[in-house]
Amino acid sequence: MGIGKQAKILTNKQQELLLTYLEKSRYPLRNKVMLLFSFKAGLRAKEIAAVTWSMVCNADGKIGTEINLTNNASKGNYSGRIIPLNKQLKNLLERLLLQKQEKLGFCLENHIIDSERGRKTSPQSIVNWFSKLYKTVGIDGCSSHSGRRTFITNAAKNICLVGGIIFFK
C-alpha cells in the first residue's frame, strides 16, 4: 500500500474467507483471536500486541463482557477505553484461555497474543502477520489497519440503523 492510501475496508464475505483460511494455520485459535481483535474490537496492531488476559477477564478470572484497554496498551495519554466484547471474539477467547491455563507459568498478566516461544509479540510482527495473511489469501489493498477501519465503518452503520447520531469533537 502506497503512502497516503487508506487501508481497505473488508466485506463480511472477505472476513469469513480469512477465518476459514486461518482454520488450517499452525495456531488457528490464536490467529483467529488476532483477526477478530482487529475486526470485532477495532484494535490497532500495537494494542493487539499489548492486550493481556487481565484486560479481558473479570474478577473470577473468566472472560468478561468487555476489553478494558489501558492507556499504556494503546496510543498513550488518554486513549485507553472500554470495548464491549463481540460474542464470536468472546467465545474464541474463552477457548484460548482454557488452552493457555493448561500450560505452566500462566498468569492473567500474560499477553494474549504471544510468539511461538511464549513471549510477547511485537506490534511490527502483528503488522507483518496481517500483511502476509492478506497477500496469501489474495486480498489487495489491506493492511493491519483494515480491521480497525472495517470495525469503525460497521459500528457507524449500526448506530445509524437504530437512530443514533455520531458527533465529532
Side-chain angles (χ1 to χ4, degrees):
M1 188 165 50
I3 295 173
K5 289 188 179 182
Q6 287 188 330
K8 182 178 177 179
I9 296 169
L10 282 91
T11 64
N12 289 339
K13 191 172 184 176
Q14 288 170 319
Q15 292 174 56
E16 286 302 317
L17 172 69
L18 292 165
L19 286 168
T20 301
Y21 174 79
L22 291 176
E23 270 300 323
K24 296 178 180 117
S25 66
R26 190 168 182 178
Y27 303 102
L29 197 49
R30 181 205 67 173
N31 292 344
K32 287 199 254 179
V33 166
M34 207 174 347
L35 185 72
L36 292 186
F37 268 147
S38 180
F39 283 97
K40 301 296 184 182
L43 299 185
R44 301 172 176 93
K46 178 189 186 307
E47 295 165 341
I48 294 170
V51 70
T52 63
W53 288 108
S54 63
M55 293 179 200
V56 298
C57 287
N58 59 25
D60 297 329
K62 301 206 183 303
I63 301 298
T65 57
E66 57 198 24
I67 302 169
N68 291 290
L69 198 66
T70 59
N71 288 338
N72 64 344
S74 62
K75 279 181 129 179
N77 296 335
Y78 302 104
S79 57
R81 57 200 180 278
I82 296 173
I83 306 158
L85 259 180
N86 166 276
K87 288 177 188 175
Q88 185 180 15
L89 176 56
K90 182 178 179 178
N91 179 273
L92 290 176
L93 282 168
E94 287 170 341
R95 290 174 46 206
L96 186 60
L97 178 61
L98 286 174
Q99 191 180 84
K100 296 292 183 177
Q101 286 174 329
E102 292 174 359
K103 294 186 178 181
L104 196 63
F106 173 81
C107 79
L108 291 177
E109 294 311 313
N110 291 357
H111 290 90
I112 295 174
I113 305 302
D114 54 10
S115 70
E116 206 168 273
R117 293 176 184 86
R119 296 186 187 119
K120 177 182 188 269
T121 305
S122 73
Q124 188 59 55
S125 293
I126 304 262
V127 169
N128 295 346
W129 180 85
F130 273 105
S131 179
K132 183 179 177 185
L133 174 65
Y134 292 131
K135 185 177 181 180
T136 302
V137 175
I139 303 175
D140 294 327
C142 292
S143 73
S144 60
H145 211 65
S146 292
R148 182 171 170 79
R149 291 200 67 231
T150 301
F151 170 79
I152 293 294
T153 300
N154 289 336
K157 286 178 185 176
N158 289 336
I159 288 170
C160 292
L161 288 175
V162 296
I165 301 170
I166 300 173
F167 288 100
F168 295 99
K169 289 185 177 184

